[in-house]
Amino acid sequence: MRGINFRLIFRIISRTFIIFSISIFLCSLVGFYYKESVSPFIYSGLITLVIGVVLHHLTKQRDKNNNLNKKEAYLTVGSTWILICIAGTLPYIFSETIPYFINALFESVSGFTTTGSSILTDIEALPKSILFWRSLTHWIGGLGIIALFLLIMPSFKMGTYHLFTLESSLQEKIQPRIRSVGIRIMIIYITLTIVEIILLLIGNMNLFESVCHAFGTIATGGFSPKNTSIGGYSPYIQYVIMVFMFLSGTNFIIYYYLISRDFTKIKMNSEVKFYVSIVLGIALLITFVLYFNMGKPLETAFRESFFNVISILTCTGYATADYLQWPAFAWILIFFTMFFGGSTGSTAGGIKMARHVVFWKNIKNIFRQLVHPHAVLTVNLNGNLVKEESNRSILTFIALYMLVFAIGTIVLSFIGLDIQTAAGSAATSMAGIGPGIGTVGPASNFAHLPEAAKLVLSFLMITGRLEIYTILILFTRTFWKF
C-alpha cells in the first residue's frame, strides 16, 4: 500500500478554500446593502483566498496517480471540515461580534455542521451581514462542503467517489456518474430553498429573514436571526417551516424518484414509511399530552407538538415553545427523539432512520429465532437484502454512536456540567440538533458553558456530522501505518 499523498490532499483543500472565499465575499454585498462595515468579510475572504492560491501553486504539479485511496479520502474529508470551520471564525473575529476564538469556533462549527447551537445571547443585536454569514454556513454545510465541490472535481481527474460517500448526507447514488449526482442534488436543494423563501414572503416575512430561515430549514440547521427563533411568527409561517423541515429530513433520492415518476421505489422504501410513522406517532402522543394535561387549545397543541417534534427529529433545532416547560413525559420523549435523526440521504444528522429500521428488524429476528431456532432469517431494507457485513456495520455504528455519546456525557460531567445538561448537550451536538435539555434548552443557549465544554461539543458536532468513523479513524494507530 502506498503512503498518503499529501500533495493530492492539499490540492483539494486549496480548491475548497478558493471557492470558500467566494461565499465570504458574497456576504460583503449584504453588508454594503445594509450600510454595514464590509471589512470583516474582505479581510476574511482575502485570507482564505491567499491560502487557497498558495496551496494550489505549491501542489499544481501533477502526480502520476491522481486517485484517492481510502486513507486519503478520510484525511481529506476530516481535515477539510476542520479547516473550513476554523476559517469560518474569521468574519466573527474581525467584526468583533464574537471576539474570542473558542466562542467563534463553536458558532462556526455549529453552523457548518448544521447543528444550530449558539453562544450568542442577543442575536438581533448583530449586523445583518454577520447574521447572513451565520445562516449561509448552514446552507453550505447542509449540502456538504465536499459535495458542493464535486462539480469542479472532474478537472482533477481523480476518484472523488470516496469523498462523496464519506459525506454522510449523500451516500446513496442516484446515478453512476458522480457529476450527474452532484448536479441533481444541488438542483433539488436550491429548488426547495427558493420555494420556501417564496412561501415565507407570502406570509409577510421580510426577504432577509425569509432567506436566513430558508437556509436554516433546508439545511436542517436551525440558526434564526431572531432571539425567539420561530416562536414570534404567525401560525402560517410556523406551518410552512414545519413542512419544509419534514421535507428536508426526507431522503433526497425520493424527490428524484418523484421527478422520474418511479412510484414503485417510493412505495418500497421502508425508511420513508418508518420516518412518517415515527413523526406521526410521537407528535400525536405529545399533542394529547399538551391538550389534556396542559389545557392548550387543540390547534395550538397540534402545532407546537408537530413543529418541535419534526424540528428535533430532523435535527433542525428551530423552536416555537420551551419544551422543558411541558410535562416531564413530553420532554423526556423529546430527549429520546434526539437519537433518531432524519433519513439517510437528507441534510439531517443523527443515527438516521434507515439504521433504526435495520436495528428493529434485527430485534424482531432475535425473537423469531427463539421460536424457530433453525429458521434462516434475513434483514431487508427498501426491498433489498441487507448483507451480513452491512448489517454488522450498521449495528456497530449504533453501538459506537451510543458509546461516544456516553463518553461525551461523562467528560462534560467531569468539566462541571450537571448530568442533565451534559447528556442533553452531548446528544444535541452529536445529532446536530441545536437546543438540548437542562441549562441548554430551547429558551437558553451555550454561552455559559466552560470553554473546555465548548471544545468538547465542537468535536462532537464534527464527529457526528461526519458519521463518527471519518473522524475517529484518524486517531487510530492503524490508520497511520503504511
Side-chain angles (χ1 to χ4, degrees):
M1 181 183 294
R2 66 180 171 91
I4 296 175
N5 188 340
F6 286 100
R7 180 189 295 274
L8 189 60
I9 294 172
F10 283 122
R11 192 188 308 160
I12 297 171
I13 292 174
S14 71
R15 188 66 64 91
T16 302
F17 264 69
I18 292 172
I19 302 299
F20 180 69
S21 66
I22 296 174
S23 66
I24 297 179
F25 285 131
L26 179 66
C27 294
S28 64
L29 299 177
V30 178
F32 180 79
Y33 178 81
Y34 286 103
K35 298 179 180 180
E36 299 169 348
S37 174
V38 298
S39 57
F41 300 104
I42 300 298
Y43 296 149
S44 303
L46 287 174
I47 289 173
T48 53
L49 179 61
V50 168
I51 292 173
V53 170
V54 170
L55 283 177
H56 179 71
H57 178 73
L58 294 175
T59 59
K60 65 181 180 180
Q61 180 181 341
R62 295 283 181 178
D63 297 312
K64 292 181 180 179
N65 190 346
N66 278 333
N67 290 317
L68 286 169
N69 61 30
K70 285 188 176 181
K71 282 188 176 182
E72 291 161 353
Y74 279 118
L75 189 57
T76 301
V77 172
S79 59
T80 300
W81 274 82
I82 292 170
L83 290 172
I84 289 299
C85 287
I86 293 173
T89 65
L90 295 177
Y92 297 126
I93 293 173
F94 282 127
S95 66
E96 297 185 349
T97 51
I98 309 179
Y100 300 107
F101 175 72
I102 292 179
N103 282 343
L105 180 65
F106 182 92
E107 200 77 11
S108 178
V109 172
S110 180
F112 284 112
T113 58
T114 70
T115 301
S117 301
S118 182
I119 52 84
L120 296 172
T121 55
D122 187 4
I123 297 169
E124 295 174 33
L126 269 63
K128 282 185 165 53
S129 54
I130 291 294
L131 292 176
F132 183 82
W133 167 246
R134 187 169 171 261
S135 296
L136 184 61
T137 59
H138 268 347
W139 199 77
I140 295 171
L143 185 55
I145 294 171
I146 305 302
L148 281 175
F149 305 132
L150 284 173
L151 299 179
I152 65 171
M153 285 303 179
S155 62
F156 284 120
K157 296 182 179 178
M158 64 178 71
T160 55
Y161 180 68
H162 288 308
L163 289 176
F164 190 72
T165 53
L166 287 176
E167 210 299 306
S168 62
S169 299
L170 301 168
Q171 289 185 350
E172 190 170 357
K173 295 184 294 180
I174 297 176
Q175 287 187 357
R177 291 180 54 123
I178 201 74
R179 188 179 179 88
S180 298
V181 177
I183 292 173
R184 282 160 176 76
I185 291 298
M186 286 196 69
I187 290 174
I188 293 170
Y189 196 75
I190 293 170
T191 301
L192 286 174
T193 304
I194 293 173
V195 172
E196 183 181 358
I197 291 173
I198 293 171
L199 291 175
L200 291 176
L201 288 170
I202 293 173
N204 294 322
M205 183 184 284
N206 65 53
L207 180 60
F208 176 79
E209 292 177 10
S210 296
V211 171
C212 289
H213 283 120
F215 283 174
T217 305
I218 304 305
T220 60
F223 277 158
S224 170
K226 306 293 285 185
N227 289 328
T228 55
S229 188
I230 311 299
Y233 291 103
S234 67
Y236 168 83
I237 294 292
Q238 294 179 19
Y239 278 116
V240 169
I241 292 177
M242 182 196 308
V243 169
F244 278 88
M245 285 193 297
F246 179 84
L247 294 176
S248 299
T250 305
N251 193 333
F252 274 32
I253 199 173
I254 297 299
Y255 304 126
Y256 177 79
Y257 291 150
L258 282 172
I259 294 170
S260 304
R261 297 183 180 180
D262 195 345
F263 302 113
T264 303
K265 288 187 178 179
I266 298 176
K267 188 177 180 180
M268 292 176 61
N269 195 293
S270 49
E271 184 183 32
V272 171
K273 296 175 185 176
F274 186 75
Y275 175 50
V276 173
S277 299
I278 291 296
V279 169
L280 289 175
I282 296 177
L284 286 174
L285 190 58
I286 292 180
T287 298
F288 293 142
V289 172
L290 299 183
Y291 179 70
F292 289 106
N293 288 30
M294 296 188 70
K296 289 180 178 287
L298 183 59
E299 188 278 330
T300 302
F302 175 87
R303 176 162 39 86
E304 284 190 5
S305 174
F306 270 81
F307 187 99
N308 289 281
V309 167
I310 291 173
S311 180
I312 297 296
L313 269 172
T314 60
C315 309
T316 306
Y318 282 140
T320 57
D322 184 1
Y323 50 73
L324 294 181
Q325 301 302 314
W326 293 351
F329 170 80
W331 68 256
I332 290 173
L333 189 57
I334 287 285
F335 172 70
F336 284 108
T337 300
M338 293 180 179
F339 294 93
F340 278 98
S343 302
T344 307
S346 72
T347 56
I351 293 176
K352 301 287 172 53
M353 291 292 176
R355 291 193 179 101
H356 286 291
V357 173
V358 172
F359 174 78
W360 288 112
K361 288 189 175 184
N362 273 277
I363 297 295
K364 184 185 289 187
N365 281 352
I366 289 174
F367 284 100
R368 285 179 176 175
Q369 201 81 54
L370 292 174
V371 179
H372 307 286
H374 302 293
V376 178
L377 303 175
T378 58
V379 175
N380 292 289
L381 181 66
N382 302 335
N384 299 313
L385 175 68
V386 178
K387 295 180 180 179
E388 187 58 34
E389 181 182 356
S390 299
N391 190 37
R392 284 199 305 270
S393 177
I394 290 170
L395 297 178
T396 301
F397 176 88
I398 295 174
L400 184 59
Y401 188 99
M402 299 307 296
L403 178 62
V404 172
F405 160 72
I407 293 173
T409 301
I410 293 170
V411 171
L412 291 169
S413 297
F414 278 132
I415 291 174
L417 276 63
D418 64 88
I419 189 64
Q420 194 178 86
T421 302
S425 56
T428 193
S429 295
M430 287 190 66
I433 296 171
I437 61 172
T439 62
V440 292
S444 185
N445 55 45
F446 291 71
H448 63 285
L449 299 185
E451 291 189 347
K454 293 171 185 173
L455 288 174
V456 170
L457 293 176
S458 296
F459 175 78
L460 291 178
M461 283 189 275
I462 294 176
T463 302
R465 179 68 176 109
L466 297 182
E467 305 250 305
I468 300 179
Y469 291 119
T470 311
I471 292 296
L472 294 189
I473 197 172
L474 302 181
F475 296 93
T476 63
R477 187 181 301 176
T478 306
F479 181 85
W480 299 101
K481 284 184 178 180
F482 303 112

